[in-house]
Amino acid sequence: MVAGHLRERGGYYHIILSYTDENGKRKTPSKATGLPVKGNKKRAEALLQKARMEMEAELQQKLEEKEQRSEDKPSEMLFTIFLSDWLDMMQSSVEEVTHAAYSMTIKRRVIPYFDRMHPGLKLCDVKPKHIQDYYTYEMKHNGMSANTVIHRHANIRKALQYAYKTGLINSNPADCVQRPRKEKFQASFYNEKELEQLFKVVKGDPVEFAVTVAAFYGLRRSEVIGLKWDAIDFEHKTITIRHTVTQFTKDGKSVIVEKDRTKTKSSYRTLPLVPPFEELLLRMKAQQKMNRKLCGRSYCKKYLDYIYVNEIGELVKPGYLTQHFPNLLEKNNMRRIRFHDLRHSCASLLYANGVSLKEIQEWLGHSDISTTSNIYTHLDFSSKVSSANAIVNIFPENAKV
């Protein structure tokens, strides 16, 4: 049943409906009548009655269509065919990067497994054990981590939940699957001495700028590549993180995505522009001006707003950092870490110099302090030692930890 009432807003009547849709969700949409309140109550009530009847008819039609879908022998649809269809449907519902991640997981790993191990498996015949066996296979034969399995489970469950909501299956088998225990993430990082060596090693290298920014400001790779000149305020000595550049593979081709926004609202942040970094930026600005003059028409004009470009003005790609950075470390006999670990190194250095986890959260742009504390729990050890020493003082020997 569709209920409803009139509401006065801004001197006009608005229709407010209240009903439960075909999926069992409560809805209370509002619709303007265009009728002024004065002298139009009966006309507004007539429109309300009409709107209720139309919604009743629409809901009845949707329920009948849902019941029809349930009777259309969904068992004839193969599980792997459904997964492909779901991917096509999701393309217009999520961002390109997210869809690319879904595709890589479903097309490259999930579908090939079920085609090989369970050929002809129908969607309605998928049982929790089929999914559980897949996770066990990936972990046992392909060495997949528990955390990766958890991410993969999220994709499969999301797809099957869509099948459940649209009446293709009566329940979601993924809900009955036992996920592996999440592995605790242990961040790798360079200490102060290693960072000093790294800064010497990268001097004059194409990744000098990226390493400097990531290690000092703790920027993500997408934030480093996405830095623009308008983010630098040389007058007020600030740097604002508000633009990102990401890279992903779609249909075998590399795709670059530029966004005028950060990963989260908290990632949008303004940090102080310190003298060493300001000097580096000024050198880069002068070098780019000279390169543009030397290259003439051959200089790429597409990325003039960006800071991190090569000699001919092309944007440095995120993938380049990921590939070149470990090669640089190996060449100079330095301990191997990921480029993203420079962000962890920044946090470690901040904490070692007395910066609180709350301040580190704001510096790195984490949306929740629990994210910061979960990643950097190892940083708390020094404070635990201090606590231990405070307690041990009551013992006769007064032995320090």
Side-chain angles (χ1 to χ4, degrees), residues 275-292:
F277 187 59
E278 181 179 8
E279 292 173 11
L280 174 60
L281 286 171
L282 291 173
R283 289 202 310 270
M284 292 177 67
K285 199 174 186 69
Q287 186 63 54
Q288 287 175 20
K289 185 177 181 180
M290 183 182 296
N291 289 341
R292 188 174 176 183

mmCIF file of all heavy atoms in Angstrom, residues 275-292:
data_model
loop_
_atom_site.group_PDB
_atom_site.id
_atom_site.type_symbol
_atom_site.label_atom_id
_atom_site.label_comp_id
_atom_site.label_asym_id
_atom_site.label_seq_id
_atom_site.Cartn_x
_atom_site.Cartn_y
_atom_site.Cartn_z
ATOM 1 N N PRO A 275 61.980 25.018 2.899
ATOM 2 C CA PRO A 275 63.002 25.583 2.005
ATOM 3 C C PRO A 275 63.669 24.592 1.054
ATOM 4 O O PRO A 275 63.780 24.876 -0.144
ATOM 5 C CB PRO A 275 64.006 26.196 2.989
ATOM 6 C CG PRO A 275 63.164 26.574 4.172
ATOM 7 C CD PRO A 275 62.151 25.477 4.288
ATOM 8 N N PRO A 276 64.129 23.389 1.516
ATOM 9 C CA PRO A 276 64.787 22.464 0.576
ATOM 10 C C PRO A 276 63.877 22.043 -0.584
ATOM 11 O O PRO A 276 64.317 21.944 -1.729
ATOM 12 C CB PRO A 276 65.160 21.266 1.446
ATOM 13 C CG PRO A 276 65.200 21.795 2.834
ATOM 14 C CD PRO A 276 64.137 22.836 2.893
ATOM 15 N N PHE A 277 62.603 21.807 -0.270
ATOM 16 C CA PHE A 277 61.678 21.397 -1.309
ATOM 17 C C PHE A 277 61.330 22.569 -2.218
ATOM 18 O O PHE A 277 61.155 22.400 -3.430
ATOM 19 C CB PHE A 277 60.407 20.824 -0.675
ATOM 20 C CG PHE A 277 59.461 20.219 -1.673
ATOM 21 C CD1 PHE A 277 59.865 19.166 -2.483
ATOM 22 C CD2 PHE A 277 58.175 20.701 -1.828
ATOM 23 C CE1 PHE A 277 59.006 18.605 -3.420
ATOM 24 C CE2 PHE A 277 57.307 20.155 -2.757
ATOM 25 C CZ PHE A 277 57.727 19.097 -3.554
ATOM 26 N N GLU A 278 61.249 23.765 -1.640
ATOM 27 C CA GLU A 278 60.982 24.957 -2.450
ATOM 28 C C GLU A 278 62.119 25.184 -3.451
ATOM 29 O O GLU A 278 61.877 25.494 -4.627
ATOM 30 C CB GLU A 278 60.831 26.181 -1.547
ATOM 31 C CG GLU A 278 60.520 27.457 -2.310
ATOM 32 C CD GLU A 278 60.351 28.662 -1.401
ATOM 33 O OE1 GLU A 278 60.614 28.545 -0.191
ATOM 34 O OE2 GLU A 278 59.967 29.732 -1.911
ATOM 35 N N GLU A 279 63.352 24.980 -2.994
ATOM 36 C CA GLU A 279 64.503 25.133 -3.884
ATOM 37 C C GLU A 279 64.452 24.117 -5.022
ATOM 38 O O GLU A 279 64.748 24.447 -6.181
ATOM 39 C CB GLU A 279 65.801 24.969 -3.088
ATOM 40 C CG GLU A 279 66.067 26.095 -2.102
ATOM 41 C CD GLU A 279 67.261 25.812 -1.206
ATOM 42 O OE1 GLU A 279 67.995 24.837 -1.506
ATOM 43 O OE2 GLU A 279 67.464 26.558 -0.224
ATOM 44 N N LEU A 280 64.074 22.875 -4.704
ATOM 45 C CA LEU A 280 63.952 21.838 -5.731
ATOM 46 C C LEU A 280 62.893 22.221 -6.755
ATOM 47 O O LEU A 280 63.098 22.074 -7.973
ATOM 48 C CB LEU A 280 63.590 20.503 -5.075
ATOM 49 C CG LEU A 280 63.286 19.336 -6.027
ATOM 50 C CD1 LEU A 280 64.495 19.027 -6.905
ATOM 51 C CD2 LEU A 280 62.879 18.093 -5.229
ATOM 52 N N LEU A 281 61.764 22.744 -6.300
ATOM 53 C CA LEU A 281 60.686 23.142 -7.201
ATOM 54 C C LEU A 281 61.107 24.286 -8.111
ATOM 55 O O LEU A 281 60.799 24.287 -9.310
ATOM 56 C CB LEU A 281 59.447 23.553 -6.391
ATOM 57 C CG LEU A 281 58.655 22.419 -5.737
ATOM 58 C CD1 LEU A 281 57.593 22.992 -4.801
ATOM 59 C CD2 LEU A 281 58.000 21.530 -6.778
ATOM 60 N N LEU A 282 61.814 25.236 -7.558
ATOM 61 C CA LEU A 282 62.267 26.385 -8.359
ATOM 62 C C LEU A 282 63.263 25.932 -9.429
ATOM 63 O O LEU A 282 63.236 26.437 -10.557
ATOM 64 C CB LEU A 282 62.882 27.452 -7.454
ATOM 65 C CG LEU A 282 61.888 28.179 -6.530
ATOM 66 C CD1 LEU A 282 62.638 29.101 -5.564
ATOM 67 C CD2 LEU A 282 60.890 28.981 -7.355
ATOM 68 N N ARG A 283 64.134 24.971 -9.077
ATOM 69 C CA ARG A 283 65.074 24.423 -10.058
ATOM 70 C C ARG A 283 64.314 23.706 -11.170
ATOM 71 O O ARG A 283 64.637 23.847 -12.354
ATOM 72 C CB ARG A 283 66.054 23.455 -9.390
ATOM 73 C CG ARG A 283 67.075 24.095 -8.496
ATOM 74 C CD ARG A 283 68.302 23.205 -8.304
ATOM 75 N NE ARG A 283 67.959 21.829 -7.930
ATOM 76 C CZ ARG A 283 67.821 21.422 -6.670
ATOM 77 N NH1 ARG A 283 67.974 22.283 -5.680
ATOM 78 N NH2 ARG A 283 67.541 20.167 -6.417
ATOM 79 N N MET A 284 63.300 22.936 -10.788
ATOM 80 C CA MET A 284 62.500 22.208 -11.776
ATOM 81 C C MET A 284 61.736 23.167 -12.685
ATOM 82 O O MET A 284 61.642 22.946 -13.893
ATOM 83 C CB MET A 284 61.523 21.263 -11.069
ATOM 84 C CG MET A 284 62.187 20.106 -10.354
ATOM 85 S SD MET A 284 61.010 19.055 -9.448
ATOM 86 C CE MET A 284 60.091 18.342 -10.814
ATOM 87 N N LYS A 285 61.221 24.226 -12.111
ATOM 88 C CA LYS A 285 60.466 25.209 -12.891
ATOM 89 C C LYS A 285 61.374 25.863 -13.938
ATOM 90 O O LYS A 285 60.989 26.034 -15.103
ATOM 91 C CB LYS A 285 59.884 26.271 -11.948
ATOM 92 C CG LYS A 285 58.730 27.074 -12.546
ATOM 93 C CD LYS A 285 58.137 27.983 -11.484
ATOM 94 C CE LYS A 285 56.902 28.682 -12.010
ATOM 95 N NZ LYS A 285 55.758 27.776 -12.219
ATOM 96 N N ALA A 286 62.588 26.200 -13.505
ATOM 97 C CA ALA A 286 63.554 26.819 -14.429
ATOM 98 C C ALA A 286 63.972 25.827 -15.510
ATOM 99 O O ALA A 286 64.111 26.197 -16.690
ATOM 100 C CB ALA A 286 64.767 27.302 -13.643
ATOM 101 N N GLN A 287 64.162 24.557 -15.110
ATOM 102 C CA GLN A 287 64.574 23.528 -16.066
ATOM 103 C C GLN A 287 63.488 23.279 -17.108
ATOM 104 O O GLN A 287 63.773 23.121 -18.305
ATOM 105 C CB GLN A 287 64.888 22.225 -15.326
ATOM 106 C CG GLN A 287 65.459 21.121 -16.209
ATOM 107 C CD GLN A 287 66.799 21.485 -16.824
ATOM 108 O OE1 GLN A 287 67.725 21.853 -16.102
ATOM 109 N NE2 GLN A 287 66.903 21.405 -18.149
ATOM 110 N N GLN A 288 62.229 23.265 -16.666
ATOM 111 C CA GLN A 288 61.114 23.056 -17.593
ATOM 112 C C GLN A 288 60.998 24.214 -18.584
ATOM 113 O O GLN A 288 60.690 24.011 -19.761
ATOM 114 C CB GLN A 288 59.808 22.866 -16.813
ATOM 115 C CG GLN A 288 59.721 21.521 -16.110
ATOM 116 C CD GLN A 288 58.490 21.391 -15.237
ATOM 117 O OE1 GLN A 288 57.515 22.124 -15.415
ATOM 118 N NE2 GLN A 288 58.510 20.464 -14.288
ATOM 119 N N LYS A 289 61.257 25.414 -18.112
ATOM 120 C CA LYS A 289 61.211 26.589 -18.985
ATOM 121 C C LYS A 289 62.291 26.486 -20.058
ATOM 122 O O LYS A 289 62.055 26.783 -21.238
ATOM 123 C CB LYS A 289 61.401 27.858 -18.154
ATOM 124 C CG LYS A 289 61.244 29.148 -18.941
ATOM 125 C CD LYS A 289 61.366 30.356 -18.013
ATOM 126 C CE LYS A 289 61.182 31.661 -18.807
ATOM 127 N NZ LYS A 289 61.309 32.853 -17.912
ATOM 128 N N MET A 290 63.479 26.014 -19.651
ATOM 129 C CA MET A 290 64.580 25.856 -20.596
ATOM 130 C C MET A 290 64.277 24.719 -21.587
ATOM 131 O O MET A 290 64.509 24.852 -22.794
ATOM 132 C CB MET A 290 65.875 25.548 -19.838
ATOM 133 C CG MET A 290 67.104 25.429 -20.740
ATOM 134 S SD MET A 290 68.589 25.018 -19.792
ATOM 135 C CE MET A 290 68.730 26.484 -18.760
ATOM 136 N N ASN A 291 63.732 23.600 -21.079
ATOM 137 C CA ASN A 291 63.403 22.462 -21.948
ATOM 138 C C ASN A 291 62.364 22.857 -22.990
ATOM 139 O O ASN A 291 62.442 22.435 -24.152
ATOM 140 C CB ASN A 291 62.871 21.298 -21.118
ATOM 141 C CG ASN A 291 63.955 20.641 -20.286
ATOM 142 O OD1 ASN A 291 65.145 20.798 -20.571
ATOM 143 N ND2 ASN A 291 63.553 19.913 -19.250
ATOM 144 N N ARG A 292 61.407 23.652 -22.568
ATOM 145 C CA ARG A 292 60.360 24.083 -23.489
ATOM 146 C C ARG A 292 60.940 24.949 -24.606
ATOM 147 O O ARG A 292 60.544 24.847 -25.769
ATOM 148 C CB ARG A 292 59.286 24.859 -22.719
ATOM 149 C CG ARG A 292 58.054 25.181 -23.547
ATOM 150 C CD ARG A 292 56.983 25.818 -22.684
ATOM 151 N NE ARG A 292 55.838 26.204 -23.491
ATOM 152 C CZ ARG A 292 54.756 26.835 -23.032
ATOM 153 N NH1 ARG A 292 54.700 27.146 -21.726
ATOM 154 N NH2 ARG A 292 53.756 27.148 -23.828
#
